[in-house]
Amino acid sequence: MSQPPLQHTTVGTRVVLGLALGKLLLHLFTAGRYGIFRDEMYGLACAQHLDWGYISHPPVGIVITWIASHFFGQSLMGLRLLPALAGAALVVLTGKVVRELGGRDFAQVLAALAVCIAPIYLIFDHWLMMNAFEPLIWLGCFYLLLRLINTNDGRYWLGFGALAGLGLETKYSIAFLIVGVLIGLVLTPQRIRLADGRLWIGLLICGAIALPNFLWQLQRGFPFLEHLHHVAASNRDVIRKPVDFLLDQMLIMEPLTALLWIGGVVWLLFGHQRDRYGVFGWTFVVVLGAFIVLKGKNYYVSPIYPIVLAAGSVAFEEMTERLGQKWVRTAYVALLAVSGMVLLPLSVPILSPDTLVRYEKLIRLGPPVVFEHHNSGPLPQYFADEFGWEEMVKEVARVYHSLPSADQKHAAIFSNNWSDAAAVDFYGPKWGLPHAISNRDSYWDWGPRDYTGEIVIVLQSDGSGDREHFATVEKAGHVEHPYSRRDEWYDIYLCRGLKFDLREAWPKMQVFD
């Protein structure tokens, strides 16, 4: 069954490298255009509490954040260098996957271009979050499986298992890839691989790497599952109907690339190489179907697209070669490039906020991705999440420093939202503030520190519940930024005389968010 891939020429490789470099520079030049993202601040807060796990995510991303913060401090360009490099590496690896699938220069360039302009990758590669690394890990697993199939060398199962294990310690969603691959093997002639003991050794390696986090979750009663349950019950996330979910895939991956990834799935499942590469098509079907059934966010499928974009590019190259219509290649690439440029300002902060608002109205297109049920104001939610944080912390500092020095020693800054607590921890040292506390997610794990509740500055509250628990509650400040999310517009309350000891009540105060 061994069939070596076609040899590539230097032209395609150079163009792919050029596209990767261009993408890298784009992210670096725009890294500090707006501000820091809420999840980045939360990751930095977690990095001050290194552990084998966190309530809503595994540990590898936090280790990467710890490394970045120790090298680059609070520099946005420094913090965002690693995700930008991951995005560039994804482009390069996509080109290598095309070669393994039998593609030549044009297919390599086409697939790399499709990955470069995909809005979801442009958005995620802008932030120090694991969403930037997840597609690279997934495609790395697929590349190793491709090499295994093309060389008939079962040792690649060991690398596959190790990388999948790293993936589980990065984001749990790679479990769907593993299940999809196993189902794909069963449904195709590649099922003969199931008899290779190295496959099962690879899965054992995967499990061994993921074991520390599994034990961390087990010891705490699997808080991640509890987190998922509460998030689903809260109706926080945007849940799409199956048809809308499928239409969303076209938008987040750039509408014109749908020809490639749909064609890639068809080529993998029904093309002349289906016996060899059909496992990848079935994996895509399993992953897509699973997230539709489980009502996942529409971008959860995004890590799997490079493999089907690569396959679709090979299919497109073969078809135009067979029909003798090579002019179609130039036309399609031109359309992709123009379309990508039109959508670029919606995915990368290259415009000022005011100009972006006018641009959206001009082209009459909304943001390619909507994450949660929040009114983001004039900007797309993912851009709105980069505004207002330092202004909020400055207002908290004003309230805090208005207290007598004796009261400041006992004053806790409590947030009903982990993002505002993380912002206080990120900007607080500049404004002379202590660390914040919160009962949300991993902040609850870190406890109330030494605060008893004698004096509490409360964020993200309407004050009604606070009046039940404190002797006095007074409005002390207000937070509002024209470009921030509207749920980040709120009053700050200064509360005194908690009717119970905060440290004793803390174990019962946990809220999953």
Side-chain angles (χ1 to χ4, degrees):
M1 298 184 67
S2 177
Q3 175 183 311
L6 294 175
Q7 295 297 313
H8 67 282
T9 63
T10 58
V11 175
T13 300
R14 288 175 179 174
V15 175
V16 169
L17 291 174
L19 289 170
L21 178 60
K23 179 176 168 62
L24 173 63
L25 294 176
L26 173 66
H27 287 301
L28 293 181
F29 288 150
T30 57
R33 188 76 167 100
Y34 293 166
I36 192 165
F37 188 70
R38 68 171 60 221
D39 292 66
E40 290 178 301
M41 294 186 295
Y42 183 44
L44 289 166
C46 290
Q48 298 180 32
H49 304 268
L50 291 178
D51 204 343
W52 282 111
Y54 302 87
I55 286 177
S56 58
H57 51 270
V60 165
I62 304 306
V63 173
I64 293 175
T65 299
W66 184 90
I67 294 171
S69 63
H70 276 69
F71 273 99
F72 304 111
Q74 292 190 359
S75 164
L76 288 182
M77 180 177 289
L79 291 174
R80 291 169 172 173
L81 172 62
L82 293 178
L85 286 170
L90 182 68
V91 175
V92 175
L93 186 56
T94 299
K96 292 179 68 65
V97 167
V98 167
R99 293 200 301 272
E100 287 296 325
L101 289 170
R104 297 184 176 87
D105 281 359
F106 173 75
Q108 294 174 51
V109 173
L110 181 59
L113 176 62
V115 169
C116 277
I117 66 173
I120 194 64
Y121 300 143
L122 289 170
I123 292 170
F124 284 149
D125 293 344
H126 174 62
W127 300 318
L128 181 55
M129 292 168 51
M130 287 310 95
N131 299 89
F133 300 91
E134 188 181 21
L136 184 61
I137 293 174
W138 283 47
L139 190 59
C141 289
F142 286 135
Y143 178 74
L144 291 171
L145 183 53
L146 266 172
R147 290 293 299 155
L148 185 152
I149 292 171
N150 286 336
T151 64
N152 203 28
D153 187 346
R155 289 176 296 180
Y156 281 103
W157 279 128
L158 307 182
F160 178 94
L163 189 55
L166 179 65
L168 282 172
E169 292 280 36
T170 304
K171 287 197 73 175
Y172 300 123
S173 54
I174 200 172
F176 292 97
L177 177 148
I178 298 171
V179 172
V181 166
L182 292 175
I183 292 175
L185 291 174
V186 171
L187 296 177
T188 66
Q190 294 300 322
R191 67 181 65 91
I192 63 171
R193 309 290 177 186
L194 297 171
D196 190 336
R198 287 167 292 190
L199 162 61
W200 308 105
I201 294 174
L203 292 179
L204 286 175
I205 293 173
C206 174
I209 293 174
L211 183 60
N213 179 248
F214 174 82
L215 294 176
W216 187 94
Q217 289 282 343
L218 176 64
Q219 184 181 12
R220 291 161 177 77
F222 293 99
F224 177 72
L225 298 179
E226 188 76 7
H227 164 80
L228 291 180
H229 171 73
H230 281 270
V231 168
S234 70
N235 196 35
R236 183 196 72 181
D237 294 341
V238 176
I239 304 300
R240 305 288 279 166
K241 296 179 180 179
V243 173
D244 294 327
F245 190 95
L246 292 172
L247 292 175
D248 287 349
Q249 303 308 301
M250 299 184 184
L251 189 57
I252 67 175
M253 292 306 300
E254 213 286 333
L256 292 183
T257 65
L259 173 66
L260 290 181
W261 61 262
I262 294 175
V265 175
V266 173
W267 185 82
L268 290 168
L269 292 177
F270 306 107
H272 64 93
Q273 293 278 31
R274 61 185 180 275
D275 289 349
R276 178 179 293 273
Y277 301 133
V279 58
F280 302 103
W282 283 114
T283 303
F284 178 88
V285 171
V286 169
V287 171
L288 178 64
F291 283 123
I292 291 176
V293 171
L294 295 174
K295 298 181 179 179
K297 293 182 181 179
N298 55 19
Y299 67 84
Y300 285 177
V301 189
S302 61
I304 203 171
Y305 279 101
I307 185 66
V308 288
L309 287 172
S313 298
V314 174
F316 189 88
E317 183 180 63
E318 290 179 350
M319 181 187 68
T320 52
E321 180 78 28
R322 184 171 61 253
L323 297 177
Q325 301 293 325
K326 292 187 177 181
W327 65 269
V328 176
R329 299 179 178 181
T330 303
Y332 185 55
V333 168
L335 285 173
L336 282 181
V338 171
S339 178
M341 291 298 293
V342 169
L343 293 179
L344 186 63
L346 301 182
S347 307
V348 180
I350 59 177
L351 302 177
S352 69
D354 288 336
T355 304
L356 176 58
V357 172
R358 293 194 297 269
Y359 186 76
E360 281 189 291
K361 293 179 180 178
L362 175 66
I363 64 175
R364 297 182 180 181
L365 285 176
V369 183
V370 178
F371 300 120
E372 300 170 3
H373 288 294
H374 290 299
N375 180 1
S376 64
L379 298 179
Q381 178 184 323
Y382 44 86
F383 285 154
D385 271 333
E386 295 188 17
F387 285 93
W389 301 115
E390 186 168 12
E391 291 80 1
M392 180 271 290
V393 175
K394 184 178 180 181
E395 178 69 354
V396 173
R398 184 191 64 78
V399 175
Y400 179 82
H401 291 297
S402 71
L403 299 172
S405 57
D407 287 350
Q408 290 181 25
K409 297 178 181 179
H410 306 289
I413 302 172
F414 175 87
S415 174
N416 285 295
N417 187 312
W418 53 257
S419 55
D420 295 75
V424 170
D425 286 352
F426 183 74
Y427 287 110
K430 176 180 178 181
W431 298 100
L433 294 178
H435 285 291
I437 61 175
S438 175
N439 60 344
R440 307 291 169 129
D441 284 10
S442 287
Y443 264 94
W444 174 83
D445 248 359
W446 307 329
R449 305 185 191 275
D450 294 324
Y451 297 116
T452 63
E454 180 181 341
I455 302 173
V456 182
I457 298 171
V458 179
L459 313 180
Q460 282 286 351
S461 172
D462 61 7
S464 58
D466 302 313
R467 292 185 176 91
E468 299 177 8
H469 304 304
F470 289 91
T472 64
V473 176
E474 62 177 297
K475 177 182 173 182
H478 181 73
V479 175
E480 182 176 320
H481 190 283
Y483 296 128
S484 69
R485 282 173 22 175
R486 292 301 181 254
D487 61 328
E488 289 294 340
W489 292 19
Y490 58 85
D491 294 326
I492 298 174
Y493 290 92
L494 179 60
C495 306
R496 296 177 183 269
L498 185 63
K499 298 176 182 178
F500 48 82
D501 191 304
L502 183 62
R503 294 168 297 185
E504 294 178 0
W506 195 262
K508 299 180 180 179
M509 292 176 60
Q510 183 178 20
V511 177
F512 294 90
D513 185 14

